Amino acid sequence: MAEEQACCVVSVSGPPDSSEPPAGPWSCSGVILSRRPGLVLCQGAVFAPFLRDGPDAWAQPRALPPDALRPCLRLLVLQPPAGTHAPALSLDAPVVAAAARSPAGGSRQHEAWLLALVPCGAFRQALARAFGQAERWRFGGEAAEDDRRALHWFAWLRVPGLDSPGGGWTAWANAGCLRKGEGLLACGSPFGALCPDLFLNTLSRGVVSNLAGEENALILTDARCLPGTEGGGAFLPSPAGPRLVAVIAASFCWKGAEWVGLTLLCSLAAILGSSTSVLDEAGVTVPPVPGQVAAVQAGGGQDPLGWAALVECGAAWGSGVLLAPRLLLTCRHVVEAGAPLCVTLAPGPGWAATVLGGHVVFATEESSPFDVAVVELEESVPGFVPPRLADTFLPGEEVSVVGFGALGRACGPSVTAGVLSAVVAVAGRPVMLQTTCAVHGGSSGGPLVSSRSGRLLGIVASNTRDTGAGATYPHLNFCIPITVLQPPVACYRRTGNPAAFAALNRAGEGARAAWRLQRQPGPPRGPPSKL
């Protein structure tokens, strides 16, 4: 695949007799941007152990030349064997897949030297705006806060062994063309130079989860990447072939103790914009910014971003889904009795974010298995197109969740993709949906949507937490089927009587058992779940 041929591993080591540890090697992934001349771009943090001035060097506002590093470093670039091709990936294979290769095939190795370490200013500014210090964000496997200062640094390498007379630049696209929910393919090497015959240039499929900064300098994706893939590429599928659109900056994101399950990317266009002087000095001509790329679109035809809303009520906040111009559903635990309620609708093409007041007309009782609240807005949403509601659920079908989890109001709603992993039914009627989408605190109340049909399947109620270990599992979560909610919603819209929702408080024992995450009533068959 083209993605594999455009990626590599970068290894850095010091002199073996050095008196200043560590000698290395240290490694990460990289992208081959040009083959005339041979140029590789990778994450700058791999050079952190070799900085003469230590971590303070990351505070510099300008590029660092090669002499900012200790002398006599050895830089190697590893490529897959010639003629290696990865298998085709279908949309129902969202997790990591390795390229087809023989363990005995080896890899090609090229000497390289550093042109410069370059800070990407647009990415740094987007990081500061999107990830507040008070929320204790951490990225990758960082062990110290100093490492976060290296997130916006990237390294340009000259690799003569990659020079090719007929070569040119890897096809790329400006991240400004990206839209939330579009598919991406990430390519990197888990654990860097460790076992390249097994891990070199593996692939992971995901979607654009969120965007921030000038021309989308910062991108979040739910493509699942591992440590060592930093510096690898993110590619936008298109009818003309994949286009490199971003570089992996951090494989993991943590918010406090919660693993967010998203990968942090930096726009390639932003890096190129920050590297103009370095590339000019090296005599490298960057090809013109390509025009708009026609991405491969998913089916459905409806835009779930237009249904999602940020719901703020007192100290609590979460997500909601609009079903009508003045009617919104969210979760009971998102709202507070008697507190003023504020609903913010995400901006879209041609309109800014809209803030509306509202009030809760119904909330289920604490004893109800269905965590639901109904909000009536003070004003109608102009031009609102209501979602089409699903009436069937197919385990294994591709789905997406839209919500304000993790980033809250900083970047608008996030989109994560997965599959409908289970449909829990009682007496033949679905009472719970489980998905593999990454769901975070703040996503409660957001829409669950079929990626194939675009229909609304349900609303997010919770993810999973192991109270014993204190761990949160974003890829195991639970949603209330829209078929449970549609009859009382239709009755309320017809009569205006909130008592239409009272049936949600009278659910049977089967539904109550499912939502307590317990087995159906009957003789015990084993130890109780920890979830």
Side-chain angles (χ1 to χ4, degrees):
M1 294 179 72
E3 297 90 348
E4 183 192 12
Q5 297 304 313
C7 293
C8 60
V9 162
V10 174
S11 173
V12 186
S13 56
D17 58 348
S18 174
S19 60
E20 299 182 41
W26 298 77
S27 61
C28 68
S29 300
V31 290
I32 301 169
L33 279 185
S34 170
R35 295 178 185 270
R36 193 178 62 179
L39 290 176
V40 165
L41 179 67
C42 71
Q43 230 280 337
V46 72
F47 291 93
F50 307 102
L51 289 168
R52 290 180 184 270
D53 295 335
D56 290 342
W58 300 130
Q60 296 294 323
R62 291 178 293 277
L64 295 175
D67 61 10
L69 303 177
R70 297 175 190 169
C72 303
L73 298 184
R74 189 184 188 199
L75 277 62
L76 295 176
V77 169
L78 281 67
Q79 281 184 282
T84 300
H85 297 286
L89 291 183
S90 63
L91 290 177
D92 57 358
V95 293
V96 174
R101 61 175 72 96
S102 165
S107 58
R108 291 175 288 171
Q109 184 172 288
H110 307 284
E111 298 279 347
W113 69 80
L114 178 71
L115 293 177
L117 289 164
V118 177
C120 180
F123 183 62
R124 180 185 60 80
Q125 293 171 10
L127 276 170
R129 286 198 299 266
F131 301 101
Q133 292 285 348
E135 295 176 319
R136 298 182 296 130
W137 282 94
R138 294 181 292 121
F139 301 93
E142 67 183 52
E145 182 61 26
D146 286 335
D147 288 339
R148 180 168 178 173
R149 294 191 290 176
L151 276 176
H152 68 287
W153 283 83
F154 299 88
W156 286 96
L157 310 182
R158 177 72 175 94
V159 191
L162 294 176
D163 289 352
S164 172
W169 276 70
T170 295
W172 63 286
N174 192 320
C177 72
L178 293 179
R179 298 293 178 265
K180 294 178 184 179
E182 281 186 328
L184 286 179
L185 195 65
C187 183
S189 300
F191 319 117
L194 177 68
C195 296
D197 54 333
L198 299 180
F199 300 128
L200 185 62
N201 294 350
T202 62
L203 304 172
S204 180
R205 188 180 297 279
V207 299
V208 177
S209 294
N210 217 316
L211 301 160
E214 182 181 355
E215 289 290 305
N216 299 333
L218 184 153
I219 304 153
L220 283 168
T221 176
D222 61 356
R224 300 178 197 176
C225 299
L226 294 173
T229 59
E230 297 87 356
F235 295 82
L236 178 67
S238 77
R243 298 290 186 267
L244 179 64
V245 72
V247 173
I248 300 171
S251 55
F252 288 159
C253 296
W254 297 78
K255 184 179 181 181
E258 180 183 15
W259 174 44
V260 173
L262 300 178
T263 296
L264 182 65
L265 310 176
C266 178
S267 157
L268 175 59
I271 299 172
L272 291 173
S274 298
S275 305
T276 303
S277 60
V278 167
L279 296 178
D280 285 348
E281 188 174 335
V284 174
T285 301
V286 179
V289 177
Q292 185 82 7
V293 174
V296 177
Q297 300 292 333
Q302 290 194 307
D303 183 10
L305 293 170
W307 313 332
L310 174 66
V311 180
E312 297 172 283
C313 189
W317 63 275
S319 304
V321 55
L322 281 166
L323 294 186
R326 293 187 60 182
L327 181 65
L328 178 139
L329 293 183
T330 186
C331 288
R332 177 188 62 237
H333 70 264
V334 171
V335 301
E336 296 180 6
L341 190 146
C342 179
V343 174
T344 303
L345 307 179
W351 72 86
T354 305
V355 180
L356 300 172
H359 61 279
V360 177
V361 296
F362 179 86
T364 53
E365 299 169 356
E366 292 284 345
S367 60
S368 172
F370 301 119
D371 183 352
V372 176
V374 183
V375 174
E376 190 78 33
L377 301 180
E378 295 175 354
E379 303 174 45
S380 294
V381 177
F384 175 71
V385 178
R388 294 179 296 156
L389 308 184
D391 54 12
T392 57
F393 309 98
L394 302 174
E397 74 169 303
E398 296 171 30
V399 296
S400 298
V401 163
V402 183
F404 288 79
L407 295 178
R409 61 157 62 92
C411 302
S414 296
V415 180
T416 57
V419 299
L420 187 61
S421 50
V423 179
V424 180
V426 174
R429 296 184 177 182
V431 296
M432 173 194 285
L433 307 177
Q434 297 176 20
T435 88
T436 63
C437 303
V439 165
H440 321 108
S443 298
S444 297
L448 171 69
V449 182
S450 168
S451 302
R452 176 181 55 85
S453 67
R455 291 181 180 271
L456 178 65
L457 300 175
I459 68 169
V460 176
S462 70
N463 58 14
T464 307
R465 181 175 177 82
D466 185 329
T467 54
T472 299
Y473 305 108
H475 296 99
L476 176 59
N477 46 77
F478 309 96
C479 302
I480 302 170
I482 195 62
T483 50
V484 170
L485 304 172
Q486 194 275 336
V489 166
C491 182
Y492 173 72
R493 294 191 65 189
R494 190 169 59 251
T495 65
N497 186 357
F501 296 98
L504 298 175
N505 292 324
R506 300 191 295 269
E509 283 304 311
R512 293 177 184 274
W515 279 99
R516 285 198 301 267
L517 302 184
Q518 298 172 355
R519 294 178 174 84
Q520 293 289 327
R525 304 179 211 172
S529 169
K530 292 177 66 179
L531 301 179

